[in-house]
Amino acid sequence: MRPAIRFAGRVDVIKRCDDQDRLRWVAGWAVGLILVAAGCAARPTRPPEFRIQPVRPLAVLLDASRAQSPLPEAGDFRPADLVDVAALEPAIRLDIRYASDRNFLGVPVYEQSRALLQRPAAEALARVHRALASRGLGLLVYDAYRPWFVTWIFWEATPPELRRYVADPAQGSRHNRGCAVDVTLVRLATGDVVTMPSGYDEMTERAHAGYRGGPAQPRQMREVLRQAMAAEGFEVYPYEWWHFDYRDWRHYAIANIPFGQIPPPNPADRP
């Protein structure tokens, strides 16, 4: 009987070893899942883009837009001198939303991803970026010069109750004049976009420059951006914390030039 007893003991030992190995494997698997989950949670998540329900079919608007043109303007305007912001100050980051589907319409309306401004506005924006560096911050540009026909698309697509957030093409946008820029802050050490009270292009009260709700930190960073831009002659648009008009906008005419017809950056503009 002893051999049987010894055999049974070995079986019991083997079973216990198998159980222990199984427990170790399950424990290791669980720890792995926890680490993966923690790593995913640590990554900043990109908020969804704000979208509207267009009141007219976008395909129709996009097709009809190139036949549209602004009314003639009377005035003693300066000659246009649109320059690429990225050529003037390469450290400024670009995320030109209207050249992608990450915008309130959900379709690209620009054929090129470029940020163009009249030279005095572009030079002022570069100075803002450099001044922010002492705080470990920099600028990211969402939009700058916008051809007039795109302003027409925005107006025609947007429901009437939301049109305070888009320019009336009868008046033109300061973007059309090359003197408005949509910007936010980034942290230079990490490259992360700074959290603001709302997302870009959001047509809600949270986007207003004076919105007092939500956490304090995003509102404080919104004020940092506003003050830095104001120091170089940019005024915030009351309904959009990211939109800034350069002080000289009245001196430039509305433009309707597609990006493809604007010459590439001048090497002389590069620092």
Side-chain angles (χ1 to χ4, degrees), residues 44-110:
T45 56
R46 192 175 79 188
E49 282 73 40
F50 180 89
R51 296 281 167 83
I52 66 166
Q53 181 61 46
V55 295
R56 293 182 61 186
L58 290 177
V60 172
L61 293 176
L62 290 168
D63 185 58
S65 65
R66 295 305 180 97
Q68 308 299 319
S69 58
L71 294 173
E73 281 189 291
D76 185 18
F77 297 114
R78 296 174 185 171
D81 187 15
L82 291 171
V83 298
D84 276 82
V85 170
L88 200 64
E89 177 48 78
I92 294 178
R93 285 174 51 186
L94 304 185
D95 182 10
I96 308 301
R97 296 292 184 88
Y98 300 132
S100 74
D101 61 1
R102 295 182 57 211
N103 58 64
F104 73 99
L105 294 180
V107 297
V109 290
Y110 292 174

Side-chain angles (χ1 to χ4, degrees), residues 9-20:
R10 285 183 188 145
V11 170
D12 187 52
V13 169
I14 292 169
K15 183 176 182 302
R16 286 200 303 272
C17 289
D18 287 344
D19 288 344
Q20 290 170 356

Side-chain angles (χ1 to χ4, degrees), residues 227-246:
Q227 290 182 7
M229 295 292 284
E232 289 295 342
F234 290 94
E235 182 178 359
V236 71
Y237 179 58
Y239 295 112
E240 296 172 340
W241 59 259
W242 57 82
H243 175 121
F244 292 87
D245 298 318
Y246 188 60

